[in-house]
Amino acid sequence: MPEILRKFLAVADHVMGLIPMKSPRFRRSVLIVAVLALVAGIYLSLRNQPELLQDVQWTPLVVLALFAVPVTMFFNALEFVLSARLIGHRVGMKSAVETTIVGSVANLLPIPGGAIVRVAALKSEGASVAKGTSTMIFVVAIWAAVSFGYSGIWLVAGGIGMLGLLFLMIGLAGAIACFAMSRQLLDDSLITAQLFACKFGLVLFDALRLYLCLLALGVMAGFGQASVLTVSGFVGASFSIVPAGLGIREGVSALLGPLVGLTAAAAFMASAANRLVGFAVSAPLAAILAWKTDHSDKPQMPAKGNET
């Protein structure tokens, strides 16, 4: 298994090396194209289904912003804590929450910002860049297994047998591979199991967030329909060349929506709304953290006292 993994990573590294990610012009171009794709998708969705914004329900959006998004942040922070333990390091929950918030905003930069923030945080705890990067790749593999498996279950339940079974097979194969690697390389599957549970919580709340967005748009949908769309989160994040998977996640949601009785426009808009509300919550928190860090780093003037 390690030899196969090394060969796969070598091929992936070669392919990614062909992409000029170090070029500022290329990164800016990708970001501009991604934003334009998102805006164009929103425009086309509203043109095809203008009623989506005619009677917006605000209660689901409030629940999304004040409950679902903060719980997602908690699970992301817990995932980071477990990722650090995977390589023998301990990260406090407070530090993990701060890293998660900053990373979620950094994802919108024309670089794989969230991954860089997490690897840098692990490096500050004493882990090497190689170990930090390997850990992030392992966690992404777990995310793939959970996302495809979870979405596959709902597809099969909805009568989409072939695609559902394919997703289930991907999820099962990914889970077996992850546990096999953890047993062989780490001789410990407990943290891997905890990471799977954590990722399941993240995917479950992502389904809830999409469901709330559909309700906010006035779409009478079921939780299972929203659950099928969750795999779009992993697919979008996989395109690290595109900041935060801008437009990719929404596009995949639009493709999956009609399979479960949703219009492409409704699925696209729900994913876009989920992204926008999440950013609206995390961006101010990241700004506050940046401000606090900036001021705490400045040398304090000694307090004046009575001279002796």
Side-chain angles (χ1 to χ4, degrees):
M1 181 68 70
E3 182 62 29
I4 296 174
L5 181 62
R6 279 195 292 270
K7 289 181 179 179
F8 174 78
L9 291 176
V11 172
D13 183 65
H14 175 71
V15 172
M16 292 304 295
L18 299 176
I19 302 172
M21 285 300 295
K22 292 184 178 180
S23 168
R25 180 180 297 178
F26 176 78
R27 295 200 301 266
R28 283 195 299 268
S29 299
V30 170
L31 180 59
I32 291 170
V33 170
V35 171
L36 289 177
L38 182 64
V39 172
I42 292 174
Y43 169 76
L44 291 173
S45 297
L46 293 178
R47 194 180 73 170
N48 292 331
Q49 207 171 338
E51 66 272 17
L52 288 174
L53 288 186
Q54 288 179 356
D55 189 23
V56 176
Q57 305 297 312
W58 293 103
T59 301
L61 291 180
V62 172
V63 175
L64 174 63
L66 298 183
F67 173 66
V69 172
V71 172
T72 299
M73 290 179 178
F74 166 77
F75 274 115
N76 272 315
L78 179 60
E79 175 200 298
F80 184 63
V81 170
L82 293 172
S83 300
R85 288 182 186 173
L86 197 65
I87 52 177
H89 294 273
R90 291 193 173 275
V91 175
M93 197 63 183
K94 178 176 178 292
S95 175
V97 170
E98 293 175 351
T99 301
T100 295
I101 292 172
V102 173
S104 66
V105 177
N107 265 331
L108 289 176
L109 297 172
I111 54 174
I116 289 175
V117 168
R118 288 193 166 205
V119 171
L122 287 176
K123 187 176 184 297
S124 69
E125 297 294 329
S128 67
V129 173
K131 277 191 174 182
T133 303
S134 299
T135 303
M136 294 301 104
I137 293 173
F138 185 69
V139 172
V140 167
I142 292 175
W143 184 14
V146 173
S147 294
F148 278 100
Y150 180 77
S151 183
I153 290 172
W154 286 103
L155 281 170
V156 171
I160 317 297
M162 291 298 292
L163 184 62
L165 287 174
L166 175 62
F167 278 21
L168 278 173
M169 288 173 61
I170 294 173
L172 181 60
I176 292 173
C178 287
F179 275 106
M181 281 190 288
S182 68
R183 289 293 298 172
Q184 188 165 359
L185 301 178
L186 305 173
D187 195 28
D188 180 11
S189 296
L190 177 60
I191 297 179
T192 301
Q194 292 172 334
L195 278 167
F196 265 93
C198 183
K199 273 300 184 186
F200 178 75
L202 274 167
V203 171
L204 194 65
F205 266 86
D206 190 37
L208 175 62
R209 288 172 61 166
L210 289 166
Y211 177 61
L212 290 170
C213 288
L214 287 167
L215 293 183
L217 294 170
V219 179
M220 292 297 102
F223 183 77
Q225 292 168 293
S227 292
V228 170
L229 305 182
T230 56
V231 75
S232 65
F234 168 75
V235 176
S238 299
F239 287 82
S240 59
I241 186 176
V242 180
L246 274 174
I248 303 293
R249 171 165 197 177
E250 290 77 8
V252 174
S253 294
L255 290 174
L256 291 173
L259 295 178
V260 290
L262 298 171
T263 64
F268 188 99
M269 287 297 295
S271 287
N274 184 25
R275 180 191 297 278
L276 292 173
V277 173
F279 183 72
V281 174
S282 59
L285 293 176
I288 292 171
L289 287 173
W291 181 83
K292 286 179 63 178
T293 301
D294 180 61
H295 280 68
S296 64
D297 287 343
K298 291 181 179 179
Q300 300 295 318
M301 294 296 291
K304 292 183 178 180
N306 295 327
E307 293 187 7
T308 58

